[in-house]
Amino acid sequence: MSAKRPKVPSELRRRVLIEAGHRCAIPTCKTTPVEIAHIVPWSKVRKHEFKNLIALCPTCHARFDDPRGSIDRKAMRQYKANLNPLLSVSLRSREGQVDLLVAYQELRVTFAEWIPAEAQYAAAKSRRSSRVKEVADLRSLAIDKFSWALCAALDFQSAWKGSEASCLVGEILYHVGEWADEVHDASFPLSKEIARRDIAEEISEASAELHLLVCEELSM
Ligand SMILES: [Zn+2]
């Protein structure tokens, strides 16, 4: 019935183990021995890919696989991302990689300013007690930050042309942008429902995935 599951190739297995220092990837655990776990289950992806694999001890692995368990996929993605601080290893020796890294860092910095600026504007616009000037100032600040983030996203996409990371950035930009449009277009006062959306949280999974894609590309 189920297609035969091939073994994780030994080279790939080694990379995953080295990434976690041959210990359980959950930092408060770090136990041995370790197994190779799929973040998105193998039954769904039907392939072994570095970005989807993580080293776990049998206990953490079982807790993760248990659908009633306390470790969810989002948390596991975060653990995986934590294993990959931006690698600068031998970057200098590779032509063009510095540009990729710079584009990514610019993207992170500008989004980290844009999203809170929009959230602040949304919050002020949703309070009946806000003064017109305050709302207007926050609005122009948000627009300003948006234009920086947009430039960074476009630069990123041109540096990372045609890659999975580039598509993902498009999706993230679209997701945040759609909400920002809603905030800007709505009349005063903005509904609490729109104002309270936690956009940073909504894009956190995609951001962690982007981070992994970037780390993987730069460390290849
Ligand atoms: Zn563990």
Side-chain angles (χ1 to χ4, degrees), residues 23-34 55-61 63 71:
R23 290 186 168 268
C24 179
I26 296 184
T28 42
C29 176
K30 294 222 166 194
T31 309
T32 56
V34 285
L56 293 178
C57 74
T59 309
C60 292
H61 196 171
R63 285 175 70 198
I71 310 176

